[in-house]
Amino acid sequence: MPDLQGPWSDEAVRQTLMDYFGVGSDVDLPDELRFLANVARLLQKRIREGELEASEQRPALFFLHPQRPNEVPSRSMKRVPMLDNGVHAISGKLWFVNQIASDGSYIELMPEEDDEAIFDLATNTLNAGTFPAVVFETRTVPVEARFYPYGLLKTDTFQVVRLEETALTFDQIFESIDRLYESKLCTPDAQSRAGKLWADASKSWVADDAEDQIQHVVHCGLIGFFPTCTIRIEQSQATGRLDVEIEEPLVSDRSQIVRHAILELKVLRSKNSRGNSVSASVVQDWVRKGVEQASAYRDERGSRLAALCCFDMRLATADDCFEPVKELAEQLVVELRSWYLFPSSEAYRRHLTENREPT
């Protein structure tokens, strides 16, 4: 191959590849989410390759720990530099992997070690108790995986990882957003862990970039709940730029993709970031536009489901923001769901008290 000169020299091409490698995938996500998603996909590959048919089914533990830990006496550590290809047996081993689970080192677990001994080995002997971890349990029917975002020292904080190839439902999607709402969006105190959605919460002035911040929370959260799926945002197409798409490549045939859902996200305001009022008619038009967008994006992408998700930051919550568009949404087969973002924790507490069911 000739050595190209000028702006397209070999070095320039190499640098361009390095600069843009991975753009559009998961490079901007937190390391623990990249770790979870890639380990989940690796587990799917091993299930597909028949790992569970082995005569001895033992758990596998994965730690986000790109650097190999210190060697343990009487325990040899081996490296697998292309772990992500899915051809290496993983059960009965304690793995230390990078955030994309492409390179890993492992220690064999002893046949006599029970769960307590295995956890003790990881947390005390190897000092890996604070690293994000995934435990693959092969001894149950069906098999399961558990994600410990704060490590195995906090065994009460985990979530079960979805590994099966099944069609996602609105109940599953909305349940995940409900949990994100409660932990990161419902009040300014919760939002402090996600971003600043209010320009001035005491006056109900909404930040200009509230949509972008909520989209980021939803994007990261959906990856955490559905790590074997690909969560795409800001996809441009003929009908416009969709907010969130949930799709999933089939492990049985990676050339086949299931497009589960399109989510159109809207923030509803009474006041903008400068305190200017937003009229009810503008809000209604915004909601109607969202229904039409969700429908058009789903049809163009060939997705199974479409939903309009509204994050209501208006002064009052008495009116139903969906009332004027319910007939249209039914006609276009678009699901409607809203979440109210309270301007203070006090307002949220008052809401919970007023709506508490009698015991």
Side-chain angles (χ1 to χ4, degrees):
M1 177 178 178
D3 187 21
L4 301 176
Q5 300 300 319
W8 294 106
S9 66
D10 286 352
E11 182 56 35
V13 172
R14 280 192 291 270
Q15 187 58 51
T16 299
L17 288 173
M18 292 303 297
D19 288 344
Y20 288 94
F21 181 79
V23 169
S25 56
D26 63 356
V27 291
D28 293 328
L29 295 174
D31 283 348
E32 60 269 24
L33 281 182
R34 299 180 70 193
F35 161 75
L36 169 61
N38 286 289
V39 169
R41 290 165 188 154
L42 172 61
L43 297 182
Q44 282 191 325
K45 289 181 181 179
R46 292 308 305 157
I47 293 171
R48 176 65 181 170
E49 290 299 315
E51 171 126 353
L52 304 183
E53 299 172 5
S55 57
E56 182 183 8
Q57 296 177 358
R58 306 213 62 207
L61 287 73
F62 293 83
F63 296 89
L64 177 55
H65 194 316
Q67 291 78 36
R68 288 168 55 139
N70 295 330
E71 295 281 352
V72 180
S74 75
R75 301 262 188 154
S76 62
M77 185 171 292
K78 297 181 180 179
R79 181 187 174 206
V80 179
M82 294 193 296
L83 178 62
D84 58 320
N85 61 18
V87 303
H88 299 277
I90 59 174
S91 299
K93 298 171 183 174
L94 195 155
W95 291 91
F96 300 93
V97 302
N98 59 8
Q99 59 266 41
I100 57 176
S102 62
D103 191 331
S105 299
Y106 70 88
I107 293 173
E108 291 273 4
L109 297 175
M110 302 297 185
E112 66 273 12
E113 287 177 321
D114 59 14
D115 292 348
E116 182 180 7
I118 292 171
F119 274 51
D120 182 71
L121 170 66
T123 57
N124 295 325
T125 305
L126 294 166
N127 295 316
T130 60
F131 297 108
V134 172
V135 176
F136 182 41
E137 177 56 270
T138 63
R139 299 165 295 182
T140 59
V141 180
V143 298
E144 72 169 26
R146 296 185 179 191
F147 174 50
Y148 295 83
Y150 305 111
L152 296 185
L153 284 176
K154 295 188 176 181
T155 55
D156 58 342
T157 305
F158 71 90
Q159 70 180 59
V160 176
V161 180
R162 174 181 172 272
L163 294 176
E164 69 278 6
E165 289 181 341
T166 56
L168 289 183
T169 65
F170 278 127
D171 285 345
Q172 291 173 304
I173 295 170
F174 291 150
E175 180 185 358
S176 68
I177 299 178
D178 285 343
R179 291 167 65 179
L180 293 171
Y181 164 79
E182 292 172 359
S183 64
K184 296 184 180 297
L185 296 174
C186 62
T187 68
D189 288 335
Q191 293 158 20
S192 65
R193 298 192 294 272
K196 188 176 181 181
L197 302 182
W198 298 95
D200 188 334
S202 66
K203 299 177 181 178
S204 292
W205 294 7
V206 179
D208 290 332
D209 64 346
E211 286 88 353
D212 293 338
Q213 294 189 52
I214 289 175
Q215 183 187 72
H216 178 71
V217 170
V218 172
H219 180 209
C220 292
L222 290 177
I223 291 173
F225 288 113
F226 310 115
T228 62
C229 294
T230 300
I231 314 299
R232 301 191 185 279
I233 60 173
E234 297 295 322
Q235 295 289 298
S236 295
Q237 51 188 30
T239 51
R241 189 186 319 189
L242 62 86
D243 286 335
V244 179
E245 179 184 25
I246 306 174
E247 67 177 34
E248 185 170 20
L250 296 180
V251 178
S252 54
D253 183 354
R254 303 296 289 184
S255 68
Q256 300 296 315
I257 293 176
V258 177
R259 292 189 165 92
H260 290 293
I262 296 292
L263 306 181
E264 181 64 21
L265 312 181
K266 296 294 185 188
V267 171
L268 309 183
R269 297 166 164 83
S270 292
K271 303 278 188 179
N272 65 18
S273 63
R274 293 163 295 282
N276 298 324
S277 297
V278 179
S279 68
S281 62
V282 168
V283 172
Q284 288 183 11
D285 289 343
W286 193 233
V287 173
R288 173 176 287 272
K289 180 181 178 183
V291 173
E292 294 170 344
Q293 287 173 308
S295 172
Y297 299 159
R298 176 205 52 219
D299 292 346
E300 183 170 352
R301 297 293 289 175
S303 185
R304 295 175 45 250
L305 307 172
L308 171 62
C309 301
C310 288
F311 296 87
D312 196 342
M313 301 179 71
R314 294 176 296 167
L315 286 165
T317 61
D319 61 320
D320 183 352
C321 64
F322 293 135
E323 188 60 40
V325 299
K326 285 183 177 178
E327 185 175 340
L328 175 64
E330 184 177 352
Q331 175 188 340
L332 296 180
V333 195
V334 173
E335 193 77 6
L336 304 174
R337 184 63 63 93
S338 67
W339 294 264
Y340 186 72
L341 276 58
F342 292 84
S344 68
S345 295
E346 180 183 5
Y348 182 48
R349 291 194 301 270
R350 189 182 313 117
H351 166 79
L352 293 176
T353 300
E354 293 172 352
N355 292 273
R356 185 175 182 177
E357 295 183 2
T359 57

